[in-house]
Amino acid sequence: ANPGYSDSMEEPRAPLLETPYVGEAGYSEEYEEMPGGGEHLDLGTEYTEQEQPLKQLYIPFDLTEASELFPPATQPADMEPLSQALLQRSEQLTPSPEDQAAVNALLAKVTSTLEALSVRQEKLDGMAIEEIRSVGAHKKGTLLAGSTMAEMAIILKDWPTCEAVEQLAKILKERLSAKETQTECSVNVVQSNVTVSDGVTEVVVMTACFPQSVQQNQSDDTPQPENRVLVADIDKALTAIRHTRWFDENVTHTGVKILARLLKDLSQRTPQLGCLTDWHCELLAYFCVLSHSTAQPLSVAVAFKRFLQLMSTGFFLPDSVCIDDPCEVSSG
């Protein structure tokens, strides 16, 4: 039956609205009863700035999830050539064993020095090292060829100061250049990070503290020193720790790491995708390979095709549902 008319076909009535619009402040518009039994919104309602109806979100069409409802009209194309091409490109993007060995060697020396500081309870501007974490693409196994940089993060007991960062750089310079290690390297402080380089490889040490320390100091009425590390730099280090922990715990399939490298390379070579960060590419790779209704992971070729299909359906539009960041509580 036409929903615009009653069963008797004597009086027209407006279509029923299944759900009311709910504004951001939790406000629901009033409904009026029409003579024909239908309902409609009170068009005389004026919205305030806080009571505007919620914006409708766009849900992208995922052909992988709807493949049974939309079977191909022709014989599916052979994925073997694409698979071979992607695997060949992945081999080109994977760092050489020599580069990986060089990065691991310098990273091991820096890690050993920091662990010795922590065990001996040596303090940096009065603050001891609580935790030492390896983070970044090198730790995740998604480093691209040509990049010889590894990242680390140390967590101090209290809000780190610029003096603590300078002291850390001085200690690393002295102990890495000692006779026991015999490592010729340069140590510099760049934006609250300590950078150790031997001319070929580079290790970046980020400095942070526990989030509770920042909140406690910000709420305290006592004057705080002006030479503290910026909150943005602390958040960057803590975010890197969360991302690396999540990746280690959830990504065990090699296809995710291969696709992550391919997407990183694609974002670097395509200006329109330049806004994608390494974390975006890693999350997209995880989603395309593992987030679907079937139990088995998708192959690299099928997952790469799925990524292109999602892009074509508006996956990155401003109002798209897209995917949530699993490391952010308020993500959406």
Side-chain angles (χ1 to χ4, degrees):
N2 191 331
Y5 294 87
S6 61
D7 296 336
S8 61
M9 302 296 292
E10 296 177 356
E11 295 181 281
R13 66 180 183 182
L16 293 176
L17 294 177
E18 296 181 358
T19 56
Y21 291 92
V22 181
E24 296 181 358
Y27 173 81
S28 298
E29 289 77 10
E30 296 293 330
Y31 286 82
E32 286 185 346
E33 185 74 16
M34 293 187 66
E39 297 172 338
H40 69 89
L41 284 173
D42 181 7
L43 299 180
T45 302
E46 295 183 1
Y47 299 102
T48 63
E49 184 177 354
Q50 292 80 15
E51 297 173 346
Q52 292 294 335
L54 286 177
K55 185 184 297 184
Q56 290 186 349
L57 296 178
Y58 169 71
I59 302 178
F61 176 72
D62 190 352
L63 184 59
T64 301
E65 293 292 86
S67 57
E68 295 184 359
L69 299 176
F70 296 90
T74 60
Q75 186 69 19
D78 184 13
M79 301 294 290
E80 186 62 23
L82 176 61
S83 178
Q84 293 298 327
L86 292 176
L87 292 179
Q88 182 179 0
R89 181 58 180 168
S90 176
E91 292 179 2
Q92 298 173 355
L93 296 174
T94 304
S96 64
E98 294 78 12
D99 289 343
Q100 295 187 42
V103 174
N104 290 332
L106 183 60
L107 180 63
K109 294 178 181 179
V110 175
T111 302
S112 177
T113 304
L114 293 175
E115 289 177 348
L117 286 174
S118 179
V119 171
R120 297 171 186 171
Q121 292 294 310
E122 298 185 46
K123 297 184 178 181
L124 303 173
D125 196 24
M127 292 172 285
I129 298 178
E130 296 290 327
E131 293 185 18
I132 302 172
R133 299 291 186 91
S134 181
V135 299
H138 179 266
K139 172 64 175 175
K140 299 173 189 173
T142 61
L143 196 66
L144 295 180
S147 177
T148 54
M149 184 187 72
E151 295 176 292
M152 300 184 65
I154 62 172
I155 298 181
L156 302 181
K157 189 173 183 179
D158 202 356
W159 195 329
T161 61
C162 297
E163 283 78 5
V165 178
E166 293 286 350
Q167 187 177 351
L168 175 62
K170 183 179 179 180
I171 293 175
L172 288 175
K173 175 66 175 177
E174 292 176 353
R175 300 190 181 180
L176 290 175
S177 302
K179 295 181 179 180
E180 293 79 7
T181 56
Q182 295 181 349
T183 303
E184 294 295 332
C185 60
S186 61
V187 181
N188 301 296
V189 177
V190 181
Q191 295 181 350
S192 303
N193 300 330
V194 178
T195 303
V196 181
S197 175
D198 61 1
V200 179
T201 60
E202 184 178 81
V203 175
V204 178
V205 182
M206 296 180 285
T207 309
C209 62
F210 294 110
Q212 297 84 350
S213 299
V214 177
Q215 298 172 359
Q216 181 179 359
N217 281 275
Q218 287 180 331
S219 61
D220 196 352
D221 295 334
T222 58
Q224 299 296 325
E226 298 179 356
N227 59 347
R228 295 178 300 186
V229 173
L230 297 177
V231 177
D233 294 334
I234 294 177
D235 287 342
K236 182 179 179 181
L238 295 176
T239 300
I241 293 175
R242 291 197 301 270
H243 289 176
T244 304
R245 182 192 298 125
W246 182 90
F247 199 85
D248 286 344
E249 293 175 352
N250 294 275
V251 177
T252 58
H253 194 266
T254 308
V256 177
K257 298 181 180 181
I258 293 177
L259 185 59
R261 286 198 190 98
L262 293 171
L263 296 185
K264 288 181 182 182
D265 175 62
L266 189 64
S267 67
Q268 292 179 3
R269 295 188 294 109
T270 308
Q272 292 79 3
L273 298 177
C275 59
L276 295 179
T277 64
D278 287 355
W279 179 237
H280 292 154
C281 295
E282 290 160 357
L283 271 186
L284 286 168
Y286 175 86
F287 179 84
C288 291
V289 175
L290 299 176
S291 295
H292 55 89
S293 56
T294 61
Q296 297 298 325
L298 300 180
S299 66
V300 175
V302 175
F304 184 78
K305 182 180 178 181
R306 184 186 187 189
F307 166 75
L308 298 178
Q309 290 173 339
L310 288 173
M311 276 205 311
S312 67
T313 58
F315 199 68
F316 298 136
L317 291 178
D319 298 335
S320 172
V321 173
C322 203
I323 53 178
D324 289 337
D325 189 337
C327 296
E328 301 296 335
V329 177
S330 59
S331 63

